[in-house]
Amino acid sequence: MASVAVLNMKGEAAGKIELDDAIFGVEINKHAVHMAVVQHLANRRQGTKSTKTRAEVRGGGAKPWRQKGTGRARHGTSNSPIWTGGGVIFAPKPRDFSFKLNKKLKRLALKSVLTDKVKSDKLIVLDNLALAEIKTKEMVGVCKNLDLSKALIVMDGSNENVVKSARNIPGIKTAGVNTINVYDILNHDSLVITKAAIAKIQEVYA
């Protein structure tokens, strides 16, 4: 089992914690991570883009000019895609880009990125993270103590004071154990997890 130092909100050492190798010490599977990121980005797409085909644009009822004798190229309708104001070739229409992944593959991807954070010393474990009130200044102080610039902070539950104090800090994002995803972990330099969140992750994904 990997042993990681536990820090307090002041950035001081507060003990050590043993991490489960079944979650934080697996063999990194790049394909699983890639598929999880592709799925996450695909599921975020709105798919609301819509333009008109030549059958949907207005006009085009009459032939613009006679077939022969004008010296101009032949045309049958002003709805043609090669005309200004005409339809769009292969026009995009509203669609659903989302797709599903096998649960085992998603879990493997999550374990892979968690393992990567441990191996690259980018995992910071906090003994506790709690604020008495909603105050961004206090949260900025915590981030400075932990030397965080772009970090994902994971808690075991919803802590409104921490969430609202951190939401205006550039580069800092909060999440619960039930909302963490591969993309967010990869997209942040550091991963900050409370001891309670570690216990919950090991309970859920073991």
Side-chain angles (χ1 to χ4, degrees):
M1 284 190 174
S3 181
V4 178
V6 178
L7 305 178
N8 58 25
M9 291 170 60
K10 294 181 180 179
E12 301 167 344
K16 287 193 174 184
I17 186 172
E18 297 288 332
L19 301 177
D20 189 351
D21 285 341
I23 299 172
F24 296 93
V26 302
E27 183 179 347
I28 296 174
N29 189 309
K30 292 183 179 180
H31 173 69
V33 173
H34 170 74
M35 289 305 299
V37 171
V38 170
Q39 188 216 22
H40 180 83
L41 294 176
N43 291 356
R44 277 174 43 172
R45 295 184 69 174
Q46 289 184 318
T48 55
K49 184 186 292 185
S50 180
T51 54
K52 292 182 179 181
T53 65
R54 62 185 295 162
E56 296 168 323
V57 294
R58 185 179 179 186
K63 187 174 173 65
W65 51 75
R66 57 198 173 94
Q67 181 82 346
K68 293 178 177 290
T70 64
R72 291 179 289 184
R74 67 186 84 177
H75 287 290
T77 173
S78 59
N79 287 359
S80 171
I82 65 175
W83 277 53
T84 300
V88 177
I89 301 174
F90 305 128
K93 292 295 181 183
R95 55 171 290 194
D96 182 11
F97 289 93
S98 66
F99 65 93
K100 292 184 178 181
L101 280 185
N102 185 291
K103 185 185 287 186
K104 287 184 178 180
L105 189 68
K106 291 178 73 173
R107 289 196 169 201
L108 177 58
L110 183 62
K111 292 176 181 180
S112 294
V113 291
L114 289 174
T115 299
D116 179 64
K117 289 298 182 186
V118 173
K119 288 184 176 180
S120 57
D121 292 325
K122 297 293 184 180
L123 179 70
I124 299 172
V125 181
L126 287 180
D127 60 347
N128 186 38
L129 180 59
L131 299 177
E133 58 181 331
I134 300 171
K135 205 166 187 67
T136 302
K137 187 176 181 179
E138 287 189 19
M139 194 63 201
V140 169
V142 173
C143 293
K144 284 184 178 180
N145 294 337
L146 300 173
D147 194 25
L148 304 178
S149 56
K150 190 176 184 183
L152 177 66
I153 300 173
V154 181
M155 299 167 289
D156 63 317
S158 179
N159 189 321
E160 186 178 10
N161 288 355
V162 174
V163 171
K164 289 188 175 181
S165 297
R167 64 185 176 183
N168 286 332
I169 304 175
I172 303 298
K173 183 175 182 178
T174 58
V177 172
N178 60 333
T179 61
I180 56 173
N181 60 75
V182 172
Y183 179 80
D184 282 341
I185 295 174
L186 285 177
N187 200 36
H188 291 82
D189 297 333
S190 302
L191 178 62
V192 182
I193 312 183
T194 61
K195 283 181 67 176
I198 290 278
K200 201 166 185 179
I201 287 173
Q202 294 183 155
E203 179 186 340
V204 172
Y205 296 101

